[in-house]
Amino acid sequence: MARLYGKTLREPLRALWSRFNAESIARYAEATRLGAEDAGVGTVLGYQAIWSDTIYPGRDFRPVLEALSGPSRRRTGIRPGAACYTDADPREMVVKCLSVAREAERCKGYGLPMTVCYEQDNFMRQAINKSPGAVVTESALALASGADSLSEYCYDRSTDEPLDYHERFAAALSRARPYFERLSASSRRTSLGGVARFLGSGAAELPQWDLRSDDERTLAFLGVPVTVEESSASNKVWFLNRRSEEALTAADRERLAHEPVAKLSVTASPTHAERQRWLDELDRASGGAFPVRIDRALRLRVLPRIDKSGRTESVTLLNCSVGETEPFALRVRNPAEARFELQGPSRDPAWLQAERGDGEWIVRVPTIGPWEIVTVFAETSRR
């Protein structure tokens, strides 16, 4: 127990314990699948996951999903993330969707017939109640993060809610559906681009069984596109923090010597000049190929989706502020198409003004409302 839960920096037994836990859960999943097959049940078997950053039950959930799918490659699925956010602290959904992004990118590499379905629940007559608009915003963020489908429902705990609430909930989802479908289609054929923290091959040997990082959250809330290590985006850039350095192996160092690495000194409350230095460093490390850049300092979560050719197909923007943004310039590198269309849950598609810059397109984005989410699609026509 001292070796597992002590403060030793690198303890190989922790990685072995994590692997053992994953194998144990996978055996339970296999027994569940065999029982369903014996009973002739055709129901899709899925896994309701905890945070993808928590590695105590396994470095990832691949063994569980492979066990649920089996030799016959039965369709399976996963509900990524854990818990739910409250309207009192909407920043929580941004943090949760960093975990969703990690899970979604992992699953794309498994080669299984599966779905990554974001569960959107709502508890009524409680302090954590979400408005219909909040449900829509969170759902859109999950899709932009990599989920390919949504499970939306209202949970009526007390059975005395007025019908009007349910009608408004359904109307908000109906209004947003064309946008959801377009955003989901973009996410299915792309990967999340940006800067990713290199975890290190020894990450499972470190204390706390946790991959989460305050540095990632700081960057994500300051308009810097943040992705995850598992992303397959070809223009992804690495950064390392202290925990990354602690988990590095000799093989990791050799690999990083041949890949783009940005030297970022992340502080919780950077000045505008510090933020600009981060962006300049990302451009330097990527050779100018970093997918998007926003020079104006805004509280934005920026999620560029990159196709297999390294082109930027869409950029989702969530205003993480109680105030509206000013109009601003979005610098898009290597767009899939040279025309840009803005759409959101409550915004009809509208073409944006854009001009060619030096190796990029400068797209003029209008004001985005408080905690509003929109997407800039780089395509000639809606597919």
Side-chain angles (χ1 to χ4, degrees), residues 167-194:
E167 291 175 337
R168 289 189 294 113
F169 175 81
L173 292 175
S174 178
R175 173 75 175 84
R177 182 168 181 171
Y179 168 68
F180 283 167
E181 292 178 343
R182 189 179 187 188
L183 182 57
S184 175
S186 179
S187 291
R188 284 172 184 266
R189 57 181 177 251
T190 58
S191 192
L192 183 63

Side-chain angles (χ1 to χ4, degrees), residues 303-325:
L303 301 104
R305 303 297 309 185
I306 311 302
D307 69 15
K308 294 180 180 179
S309 300
R311 302 178 304 172
T312 304
E313 183 175 303
S314 66
V315 183
T316 295
L317 306 164
L318 172 65
N319 179 11
C320 302
S321 169
V322 295
E324 65 181 21
T325 70

Side-chain angles (χ1 to χ4, degrees), residues 18-28 57 63:
S18 175
R19 188 185 310 164
F20 170 77
N21 289 338
E23 292 171 353
S24 299
I25 300 171
R27 289 185 179 185
Y28 180 81

Side-chain angles (χ1 to χ4, degrees), residues 214-380:
D214 289 339
D215 293 339
E216 291 172 326
R217 301 178 190 186
T218 297
L219 294 169
F221 280 114
L222 291 175
V224 179
V226 173
T227 186
V228 292
E229 182 179 78
E230 296 84 350
S231 168
S232 62
S234 60
N235 50 13
K236 176 177 63 181
V237 174
W238 299 113
F239 85 99
L240 286 78
N241 63 3
R242 180 183 60 81
R243 196 165 175 83
S244 303
E245 295 282 357
E246 292 170 348
L248 288 182
T249 63
D252 291 336
R253 296 184 187 280
E254 175 63 23
R255 174 186 172 185
L256 290 173
H258 304 283
E259 297 190 13
V261 179
K263 299 177 181 179
L264 303 181
S265 179
V266 181
T267 56
S269 300
T271 64
H272 175 75
E274 285 178 301
R275 181 180 177 277
Q276 289 300 105
R277 284 197 290 271
W278 295 346
L279 298 177
D280 290 343
E281 174 62 10
L282 291 169
D283 279 347
R284 181 207 63 79
S286 65
F290 199 68
V292 295
R293 174 169 174 158
I294 299 173
D295 286 300
R296 188 179 295 276
L298 297 169
R299 284 283 186 184
L300 290 172
R301 173 68 174 119
V302 182
L303 301 104
R305 303 297 309 185
I306 311 302
D307 69 15
K308 294 180 180 179
S309 300
R311 302 178 304 172
T312 304
E313 183 175 303
S314 66
V315 183
T316 295
L317 306 164
L318 172 65
N319 179 11
C320 302
S321 169
V322 295
E324 65 181 21
T325 70
E326 307 167 23
F328 61 92
L330 173 68
R331 296 165 60 181
V332 183
R333 284 73 181 263
N334 195 23
E337 300 287 351
R339 295 190 69 188
F340 303 90
E341 195 173 34
L342 184 74
Q343 189 174 356
S346 57
R347 293 195 191 214
D348 292 329
W351 294 111
L352 297 177
Q353 178 186 351
E355 59 264 13
R356 187 187 293 274
D358 184 13
E360 63 187 9
W361 283 83
I362 301 172
V363 184
R364 305 298 174 181
V365 179
T367 294
I368 304 174
W371 286 101
E372 181 184 6
I373 192 167
V374 297
T375 302
V376 176
F377 292 97
E379 52 190 18
T380 301

